[in-house]
Amino acid sequence: QSSRSSSSLSSASRYSQSVRSWKTSHGPHRVFVPHSPMDLQLGHRVRIMLPSGRISTGTVRFLGNLQGEPELHLGVELQSHDASLCDGSHNGHTYFECKPGHGAFVPFHKLLMAWE
């Protein structure tokens, strides 16, 4: 029984160390779940669900309505390339600039979390 409690203690200790190192290695963060588009600003880092259903991380570069779309959208510059994604353009109109395959437009309800 003592070996079980010591293994869970060491697991908790490892978790605590990894959380501490993440916080210090990436600088100060305020992680939050935006309840309204007014909670976001350009430059916020976000985790979103892409149209493909994949989850990705990037930086907000546009926040507003797309031409011909009634719902408010986020334009996000993503860290990773995906050939099915865009370059910040939608229906021939450029909303922000990024490398081809690094841009995505998602409706606000596809936003999972954000941080500064």
Side-chain angles (χ1 to χ4, degrees), residues 2 14 16 31-33 39-40 43 53 71 75 95 98 110:
S2 67
R14 279 193 303 266
S16 175
V31 178
F32 62 101
V33 176
D39 296 338
L40 288 174
E71 193 172 352
Y95 292 90
C98 67
K110 296 288 186 174

Side-chain angles (χ1 to χ4, degrees), residues 21-36:
S21 72
W22 178 82
K23 285 181 179 178
T24 57
S25 67
H26 292 83
H29 295 286
R30 182 178 74 91
V31 178
F32 62 101
V33 176
H35 298 287
S36 155

